Amino acid sequence: MKEYVINAENMDEKELNRTIKEQATTHDKLIINNPESRHNICAGLIEDVDIEINGSAGYFVGTMVNGPKIHINGNAGWFAGDNMTEGELIIEGTAGDGAGQGIYGGTVIVKGSTGSRTGEIMKGGTVIIGGNSGYMTGLLMMGGRLIILGDVTDDVGESIMRGSIYVLGDVKSLGKNAIMDKTTQEDQKELKEILTQYDFDLSDEDYKNFKKIVNIQ
């Protein structure tokens, strides 16, 4: 595997992203040190490359990517993985509002908690939150799968059209057009497959206790 290390300490956002795109064409893995919460890291990247970010990222990390696997050893700001079409974004810490906003495909994983509007207007793909999620989680959701292992606050699934929201913890309130149901055995099987893949260790009883939120129809 060909690796390339980028020290972002003295780079602005444009220089960092230009370097990422240039090196992604000839390397299998890029390691980014000293990201210092810069915004838009990896924006628009379309190479099938592994990216390891050692530190926290700012707003719109992994926005509009198609293909890369991005692993952040830190936190992320608002709109992590925004409008991803294909790829993977794993955040070991927490993320701000709008994680997984508008994704068409791929997978966004936040091991910690997120802010409000997680998975809003997502059309496909999977978003997994290991902690809690805030206000209007799944707002205007059009498709895909949103999985919350912790609690969610008010108006979950506000104006949801399609897709499914799974919550293991407490749901404070549902939004308009949303209804809560029990998971099926097939739902539980699919949840176990995806969560085990990303090293979430749940019991069989946990999978039975997931609540499923969908359009009221």
Side-chain angles (χ1 to χ4, degrees):
M1 175 180 284
K2 289 184 67 178
E3 294 185 359
Y4 187 86
V5 178
I6 299 171
N7 182 359
E9 186 174 9
N10 296 313
M11 293 182 176
D12 61 21
E13 292 172 19
K14 288 184 178 179
E15 183 182 2
L16 176 55
N17 274 333
R18 184 169 61 248
T19 303
I20 290 169
K21 289 178 179 178
E22 288 172 354
Q23 298 302 328
T25 62
T26 55
H27 293 86
D28 303 306
K29 181 175 182 178
L30 304 181
I31 299 169
I32 302 171
N33 295 325
N34 303 306
E36 297 175 345
S37 298
R38 285 175 176 79
H39 304 317
N40 305 304
I41 297 175
C42 299
L45 187 61
I46 59 172
E47 304 292 339
D48 291 328
V49 60
D50 290 341
I51 307 281
E52 182 176 345
I53 300 175
N54 292 317
S56 294
Y59 302 162
F60 291 101
V61 60
T63 182
M64 296 184 287
V65 299
N66 182 30
K69 293 184 176 180
I70 304 167
H71 194 150
I72 302 175
N73 295 310
N75 304 316
W78 292 354
F79 308 118
D82 162 72
N83 276 286
M84 172 191 291
T85 51
E86 192 60 54
E88 182 180 272
L89 173 62
I90 300 176
I91 300 163
E92 290 292 338
T94 60
D97 294 350
Q101 171 185 259
I103 67 170
Y104 292 84
T107 308
V108 175
I109 302 105
V110 181
K111 296 291 184 72
S113 296
T114 54
S116 64
R117 305 191 308 280
T118 302
E120 67 176 330
I121 62 171
M122 61 184 288
K123 292 94 173 172
T126 299
V127 176
I128 302 170
I129 309 302
N132 302 325
S133 185
Y135 182 62
M136 284 191 176
T137 290
L139 171 67
L140 288 165
M141 192 171 168
M142 301 179 197
R145 177 175 54 182
L146 175 54
I147 305 168
I148 314 293
L149 273 62
D151 303 330
V152 285
T153 58
D154 295 295
D155 297 334
V156 181
E158 173 68 26
S159 301
I160 185 174
M161 296 173 231
R162 288 179 297 277
S164 301
I165 304 170
Y166 298 95
V167 181
L168 181 57
D170 294 330
V171 175
K172 189 170 183 181
S173 69
L174 297 176
K176 294 189 295 292
N177 298 343
I179 189 170
M180 187 185 297
D181 201 355
K182 292 182 178 180
T183 57
T184 64
Q185 287 187 334
E186 185 62 28
D187 292 330
Q188 293 167 26
K189 180 182 176 183
E190 290 181 3
L191 287 168
K192 189 170 186 176
E193 286 176 357
I194 186 71
L195 290 171
T196 302
Q197 180 182 340
Y198 290 104
D199 299 324
F200 290 100
D201 186 17
L202 278 67
S203 67
D204 289 340
E205 192 65 26
D206 286 332
Y207 287 107
K208 293 177 183 177
N209 288 332
F210 268 102
K211 295 166 282 290
K212 184 178 182 179
I213 299 165
V214 293
N215 180 280
I216 197 168
Q217 297 184 350

